[in-house]
Amino acid sequence: QVQLVESGGGSVQAGGSLRLSCVASGNTYSTNSMAWFRQAPGKAREGVACIRTDNQRTYYADSVKDRFTISQDGAANTMYLQMNSLKPEDTAMYYCAATHGVCVSLPTSTASFNSWGQGTQVTVSS
């Protein structure tokens, strides 16, 4: 099992930036992909971005492409989400997740992700 702890959320005005971090511990050797999901009140959890741990290939939701960047520091077992040009519609709880599987596209389901962080709130005001 992998333990995940997110940090970096907060409140910003539209157009601002935030960087989320996710520190992994435990059996990280079995993790082949990690992802960021988000969930707004009353909405389903949705995939934001995914990164493969073998080749660092990345996948993004269309709504965040060119604004968000997912990256990973393998030595530190840390994943990041740099969020620029934030919009009010980006307001949500953001979760990091890990899977033994390999992302080949943006994940549309949470089912294959077996480890989750507790979430960090991002609020963007207009």
Side-chain angles (χ1 to χ4, degrees), residues 25-79:
S25 60
N27 293 330
T28 58
Y29 67 90
S30 63
T31 295
N32 293 308
S33 293
M34 294 185 71
W36 288 97
F37 287 79
R38 67 186 181 186
Q39 188 167 19
K43 294 188 176 181
R45 194 168 296 189
E46 64 175 2
V48 175
C50 191
I51 185 167
R52 290 176 52 162
T53 59
D54 57 349
N55 59 13
Q56 304 298 293
R57 189 161 183 178
T58 58
Y59 305 89
Y60 295 93
D62 288 343
S63 60
V64 307
K65 206 169 291 184
D66 299 326
R67 299 189 299 123
F68 290 10
T69 302
I70 188 172
S71 62
Q72 188 177 36
D73 180 345
N77 283 332
T78 304
M79 177 178 67

Side-chain angles (χ1 to χ4, degrees), residues 5 36 42 46 71 86 121 123:
V5 179
W36 288 97
E46 64 175 2
S71 62
L86 282 161
Q121 178 68 38
T123 302

Side-chain angles (χ1 to χ4, degrees), residues 2 4 6 37 45 95-98 110 113-118:
V2 177
L4 302 172
E6 304 102 330
F37 287 79
R45 194 168 296 189
Y95 299 89
C96 70
T110 62
F113 289 83
N114 52 298
S115 297
W116 291 86
Q118 81 288 352

Side-chain angles (χ1 to χ4, degrees), residues 70-118:
I70 188 172
S71 62
Q72 188 177 36
D73 180 345
N77 283 332
T78 304
M79 177 178 67
Y80 303 97
L81 186 68
Q82 177 66 44
M83 305 185 294
N84 298 328
S85 302
L86 282 161
K87 303 176 180 180
E89 51 263 44
D90 294 319
T91 295
M93 186 72 80
Y94 283 70
Y95 299 89
C96 70
T99 178
H100 304 312
V102 176
C103 282
V104 295
S105 63
L106 179 74
T108 56
S109 168
T110 62
S112 63
F113 289 83
N114 52 298
S115 297
W116 291 86
Q118 81 288 352

